[in-house]
């Protein structure tokens, strides 16, 4: 079994014609053209009213253009991620930190001194030679005493302080501190402890934000169980996404192209891929040519590489869907569109800003075939 990395990032959704802005975290930063292609290459038509005129693999007999080999025996490996106590501890700490920040001041404990292990809300201002330095001031900061988050002496200096009390801490930054201006320098932090945040107040705040139908949290064991359950769910989704990525990559090894695709179809895919890179470039406030230049690619290089690969794979997926009886009827497509719109909280206009009706037919076909193949390889 593979082990969950503490710094795991969100998996890229497997889709050869994926949606820009649908099923993705808002503001996600793509780091290379391959990520752009995997996650955005299929953003749709400019006309929101488009309902089916876009050319897709459904408009031609794909048997004339490609044949698919043994797709049930690809060189893919399914591994389940192991969720160990280290990662549960990490998620547990994140839970506490998140909800500690949301605890109202009226729920702070203020009738006793701060002790080691307390989570506190505090204001502080650091000064060097009487002048506040950059990054040394905060209000409503959350700090666990004894965590070692701050420089030596800071947290120790707050032990014994009463909430509402203001203290000056005479401290020295470590010689190896990352800021050359502060490394080894003497400073004074003026701190005010606003209150102590108890476990009970964190749990009460979390319970105010539960999803409908979710069981109330009673104690710290419930929090750990909740973290474990959620991590197992996330790991299973990530494992499946990894498997589907492998399948999508390996599928090309069993596809044979018989002849060139119709120019009309290739042009349609060129436009889809071009739209994807334009959207990615717009995120960085630049044009597509500038964005791709950072990766040593021209626009023509990018479109040629990803458009043809995407089209070839979609053609193969179409043949598999046809063989397995997965092609959607118009009625089924309508139902999927309604569900997709509701799940993504989209208006009709927003729905068709992404893809046309027929491009959604391709999108759902991809999902269905990859799901079928993933289920097959998970059982092998």
């Amino acid at each position: 079994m593979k082990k969950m990395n503490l710094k795991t990032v969100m998996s890229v959704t497997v889709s050869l014609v994926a949606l820009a802005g649908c099923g993705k975290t808002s503001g996600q930063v793509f780091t290379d053209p391959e990520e752009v292609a995997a996650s955005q290459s299929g953003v749709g038509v400019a006309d929101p009213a488009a309902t089916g005129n876009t050319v897709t693999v459904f408009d031609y007999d794909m048997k004339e253009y490609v044949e698919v080999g043994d797709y049930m025996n690809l060189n893919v490996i399914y591994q389940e991620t192991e969720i160990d106590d280290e990662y549960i501890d990490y998620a547990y700490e994140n839970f506490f930190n998140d909800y500690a920040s949301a605890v109202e001041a009226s729920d702070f404990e203020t009738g006793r001194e701060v002790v080691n292990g307390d989570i506190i809300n505090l204001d502080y201002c650091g000064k060097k030679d009487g002048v506040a330095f950059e990054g040394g001031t905060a209000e409503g900061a959350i700090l666990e005493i004894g965590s070692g988050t701050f420089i030596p002496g800071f947290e120790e200096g707050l032990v014994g302080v009463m909430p509402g009390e203001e203290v000056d801490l005479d401290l020295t930054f470590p010689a190896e501190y990352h800021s050359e201006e502060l490394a080894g320098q003497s400073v004074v932090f003026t701190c005010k402890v606003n209150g102590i945040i108890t476990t009970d107040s964190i749990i009460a705040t979390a319970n105010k934000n539960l999803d409908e139908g979710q069981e109330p949290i009673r104690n710290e064991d419930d929090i750990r169980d909740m973290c474990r359950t959620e991590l197992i769910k996330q790991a299973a989704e990530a494992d499946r996404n990894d498997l589907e990525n492998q399948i999508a990559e390996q599928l090309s090894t069993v596809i044979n192209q018989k002849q060139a695709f119709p120019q009309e179809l290739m042009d349609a895919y060129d436009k889809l891929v071009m739209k994807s890179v334009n959207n990615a470039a717009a995120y960085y406030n630049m044009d597509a040519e500038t964005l791709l230049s950072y990766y040593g690619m021209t626009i023509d290089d990018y479109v040629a590489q990803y458009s043809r690969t995407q089209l070839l794979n979609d053609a193969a997926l179409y043949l598999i869907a046809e063989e397995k009886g997965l092609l959607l009827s118009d009625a089924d497509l309508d139902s999927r569109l309604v569900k997709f719109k509701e799940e993504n909280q989209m208006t009709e206009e927003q729905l068709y800003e992404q893809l046309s009706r027929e491009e959604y037919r391709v999108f759902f076909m991809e999902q269905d075939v990859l799901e079928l193949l993933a289920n097959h390889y998970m059982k092998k």
Side-chain angles (χ1 to χ4, degrees):
M1 299 176 76
K2 57 185 178 179
K3 193 172 182 179
M4 175 75 81
N5 186 334
L6 294 184
K7 303 301 182 183
T8 299
V9 296
M10 293 184 66
S11 298
V12 175
T13 302
V14 176
S15 176
L16 304 176
V17 179
L19 303 178
C22 296
K24 301 293 294 179
T25 300
S26 178
Q28 179 170 353
V29 178
F30 298 102
T31 55
D32 60 59
E34 291 187 4
E35 284 188 329
V36 175
S39 60
Q40 286 192 315
S41 61
V43 293
V45 293
D47 180 10
T51 58
N53 295 328
T54 310
V55 177
T56 73
V57 292
F58 282 80
D59 294 306
Y60 296 90
D61 183 0
M62 287 296 106
K63 292 188 182 70
E64 295 183 7
Y65 301 97
V66 296
E67 59 184 7
V68 187
D70 187 6
Y71 58 84
M72 300 299 276
N73 286 289
L74 300 174
N75 184 27
V76 298
I77 300 174
Y78 174 66
Q79 286 184 294
E80 292 184 358
T81 298
E82 175 187 357
I83 303 297
D84 59 19
D85 288 340
E86 180 184 13
Y87 198 68
I88 293 172
D89 289 343
Y90 182 79
Y92 177 86
E93 291 172 7
N94 281 344
F95 177 95
F96 258 73
N97 290 336
D98 288 345
Y99 283 106
S101 302
V103 172
E104 298 287 343
S106 58
D107 293 325
F108 292 165
E109 185 173 356
T110 57
R112 65 169 177 84
E113 297 178 346
V114 173
V115 299
N116 194 50
D118 278 340
I119 299 175
I120 64 171
N121 181 296
L122 80 155
D123 304 332
Y124 60 84
C125 178
K127 295 181 180 180
K128 177 178 174 293
D129 300 326
V131 179
F133 54 84
E134 185 177 356
T137 300
E139 293 184 355
I142 304 299
L143 173 63
E144 181 181 352
I145 303 299
S147 64
T149 305
F150 283 63
I151 64 173
F154 189 101
E155 295 168 35
E156 295 86 344
L158 296 175
V159 172
V161 174
M162 285 291 295
E165 183 181 352
E166 187 173 278
V167 295
D168 287 336
L169 305 178
D170 296 315
L171 304 174
T172 301
F173 275 92
E176 66 277 9
Y177 193 69
H178 62 83
S179 170
E180 293 183 4
E181 294 182 1
L182 294 174
Q185 298 298 305
S186 297
V187 297
V188 177
F189 277 96
T190 300
C191 304
K192 178 185 176 183
V193 176
N194 298 315
I196 300 166
I197 302 173
T198 65
T199 298
D200 286 344
S201 67
I202 291 174
I203 290 175
T205 301
N207 280 332
K208 294 176 183 177
N209 293 275
L210 291 176
D211 293 333
E212 186 177 348
Q214 204 170 352
E215 291 292 328
I217 300 167
R218 298 166 299 176
N219 49 43
E220 293 179 69
D221 287 340
D222 281 356
I223 297 173
R224 293 189 68 83
D225 289 342
M226 184 175 66
C227 289
R228 181 182 292 105
T229 299
E230 183 61 25
L231 288 173
I232 290 172
K233 176 184 175 183
Q234 290 179 8
E237 291 174 353
D239 293 340
R240 189 179 184 91
N241 282 341
D242 176 66
L243 178 60
E244 291 185 356
N245 275 315
Q246 291 184 60
I247 293 169
E249 292 173 1
Q250 289 295 318
L251 190 60
S252 62
T253 65
V254 295
I255 302 174
N256 176 46
Q257 185 170 355
K258 297 179 179 180
Q259 61 174 313
F261 290 106
Q263 188 63 49
E264 181 184 34
L265 186 57
M266 291 190 289
D267 290 344
Y269 272 76
D270 287 350
K271 290 178 182 178
L272 291 178
V273 173
M274 194 62 239
K275 184 73 176 292
S276 76
V277 74
N278 280 333
N279 282 3
Y283 178 85
Y284 295 106
N285 296 316
M286 62 178 71
D287 58 36
E289 185 176 6
T290 303
L291 174 65
L292 293 176
S293 69
Y294 289 125
Y295 306 102
M297 300 181 72
T298 66
I299 291 177
D300 288 344
D301 292 337
Y302 181 83
V303 172
Q305 180 175 344
Y306 291 107
S307 175
R308 296 299 172 266
T309 300
Q310 183 173 313
L311 174 52
L312 188 62
N313 278 275
D314 272 359
L317 290 173
Y318 175 88
L319 293 181
I320 296 172
E322 186 177 44
E323 179 182 330
K324 298 296 184 180
L326 296 177
L327 298 180
L328 293 176
S329 67
D330 287 342
D332 288 338
L333 177 58
D334 288 337
S335 297
R336 290 284 286 272
L337 286 169
V338 169
K339 182 179 179 181
F340 184 83
K341 184 173 64 173
E342 291 175 350
E343 289 176 343
N344 290 277
Q345 299 180 334
M346 304 167 74
T347 65
E348 189 83 1
E349 182 177 2
Q350 289 170 331
L351 179 72
Y352 289 115
E353 282 175 352
Q354 303 303 321
L355 298 175
S356 71
R357 175 184 169 83
E358 290 309 307
E359 287 165 341
Y360 275 113
R361 193 190 295 272
V362 176
F363 175 69
F364 294 136
M365 175 198 72
E366 293 170 336
Q367 288 186 324
D368 294 345
V369 174
L370 288 173
E371 180 180 3
L372 172 80
L373 295 180
N375 288 339
H376 165 72
Y377 285 103
M378 287 172 67
K379 296 176 183 176
K380 288 192 70 174

